[in-house]
């Protein structure tokens, strides 16, 4: 949370998104899925704004994981499919393995 505050002060949107994603991971690990989704969705929106497509795919994958943990397999499949499509459209294919 302190890191997120600093990133907001310096207005680094990529770092803001990374911190929001990290907070989502923490909440997901604690089983607080509503809060995890809140942070993942904020990270997703910010990553879209700065055109961080690898980050967008990572956020979608994280959102898919929460849906999987909640038993929402249809929603999870949509998120994973969107993430994979984004990664396949990128010239750098190193990250595709994490989603496939």
């Amino acid at each position: 949370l302190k890191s997120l505050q600093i990133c907001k002060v310096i207005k680094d949107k990529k770092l803001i998104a990374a911190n929001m994603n990290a907070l989502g991971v923490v909440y997901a690990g604690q089983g607080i899925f509503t809060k995890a989704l809140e942070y993942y969705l904020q990270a997703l929106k910010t990553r879209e704004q700065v055109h961080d497509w690898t980050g967008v795919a990572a956020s979608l994958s994280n959102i898919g994981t929460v849906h999987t943990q909640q038993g929402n397999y249809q929603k999870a499949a949509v998120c994973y499919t969107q993430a994979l499509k984004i990664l396949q459209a990128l010239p750098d294919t190193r990250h595709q393995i994490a989603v496939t």
Side-chain angles (χ1 to χ4, degrees), residues 3-97:
S3 178
L4 179 58
Q5 290 173 343
I6 292 167
C7 293
K8 286 181 177 180
V9 169
I10 63 172
K11 299 180 182 178
D12 187 325
K13 287 192 175 189
K14 275 192 155 189
L15 287 177
I16 290 169
N19 277 273
M20 285 190 270
N21 186 71
L23 286 164
V25 170
V26 169
Y27 284 112
Q30 294 175 337
I32 307 170
F33 298 122
T34 304
K35 200 75 168 166
L37 279 175
E38 179 182 316
Y39 279 105
Y40 286 150
L41 289 168
Q42 288 178 40
L44 174 64
K45 182 178 177 181
T46 303
R47 287 171 164 170
E48 289 173 337
Q49 290 172 349
V50 297
H51 306 287
D52 175 9
W53 302 118
T54 303
V56 168
S59 290
L60 287 167
S61 182
N62 288 339
I63 293 165
T65 299
V66 170
H67 287 312
T68 299
Q69 292 169 323
Q70 292 180 315
N72 298 325
Y73 302 112
Q74 197 74 10
K75 286 182 179 181
V78 169
C79 290
Y80 292 138
T81 300
Q82 288 175 334
L84 182 59
K85 285 180 182 179
I86 290 168
L87 292 174
Q88 288 174 332
L90 297 176
D92 182 358
T93 60
R94 291 177 292 161
H95 304 288
Q96 289 182 22
I97 295 170

